[in-house]
Structure formats: C-alpha cells, structure tokens
Amino acid sequence: MPEVTISLSPSQRQKLVLVLGMHRSGTSCLTGLLEDIGFSAGKVDRWDPFNHKGNREDERVNRLNNALLQTANFAWNAPPPLTWDVEQAVSPAEER
C-alpha cells in the first residue's frame, strides 16, 4: 500500500472533523454549509474548473482515499463493480 501521512498539530487533532462520501454524494455541499456556520475546513480547494465553489477536499485526505482504492485495484473513476441480486432485495411491505 502506498504510504500516506497526515500530520496534525495537537490543536488540530482535537478539532478534526472528517466528511467522507462517494463521488457526487453531497460532501462538498455539506462542508460548504458547515463553513457557512463557522466551521473552518482548513486548506481545501475552494474553486476548480468543474466546481466553481470548490470540492472542499483536503489534498492529504484525497491522497489517502486514492491509496486505499489503489490497494484494491480501483480508482475514484473506476469503482468496484456493483452487484445486485434481486432475490436478496426485500421491500418494506414484504418485511411485515
């Protein structure tokens, strides 16, 4: 596994909030809303060509995410395949 180190000062460790979610799941929106009420997201992207409000990602966390995916031979744009077995699905009406 590629080595990724995230160094935090003691004061940063006490205040760490990590917002995780898959691609296009609303994490940028959530982090932006938290910033609007006073939360400091630190050194995050606040603008990029594909998201003018920024994706609110810390590059260190992004590298960690990519390293984890790489260990399983996946990437953010090549996730694990989703398998769906209709026979395993149970609707709420069937649970009663």
Side-chain angles (χ1 to χ4, degrees), residues 48-96:
D48 69 46
F50 304 106
N51 185 341
H52 291 226
K53 291 185 177 183
N55 57 21
R56 301 299 198 260
E57 291 180 359
D58 182 304
E59 184 57 35
R60 298 168 298 175
V61 176
N62 192 313
R63 284 194 312 268
L64 174 62
N65 178 64
N66 290 337
L68 289 170
L69 287 169
Q70 184 181 2
T71 63
N73 296 317
F74 299 115
W76 73 269
N77 59 350
L82 176 64
T83 57
W84 179 257
D85 185 347
V86 175
E87 296 195 11
Q88 293 177 340
V90 178
S91 72
E94 293 174 332
E95 290 180 352
R96 292 186 204 133

Side-chain angles (χ1 to χ4, degrees), residues 17-74:
V17 173
L18 189 60
V19 177
L20 300 174
M22 63 184 266
H23 183 64
R24 307 298 302 164
S25 66
T27 55
S28 300
C29 178
L30 173 60
T31 305
L33 291 169
L34 289 171
E35 285 186 307
D36 287 348
I37 62 170
F39 170 77
S40 173
K43 186 179 177 183
V44 296
D45 296 329
R46 289 188 166 57
W47 186 91
D48 69 46
F50 304 106
N51 185 341
H52 291 226
K53 291 185 177 183
N55 57 21
R56 301 299 198 260
E57 291 180 359
D58 182 304
E59 184 57 35
R60 298 168 298 175
V61 176
N62 192 313
R63 284 194 312 268
L64 174 62
N65 178 64
N66 290 337
L68 289 170
L69 287 169
Q70 184 181 2
T71 63
N73 296 317
F74 299 115

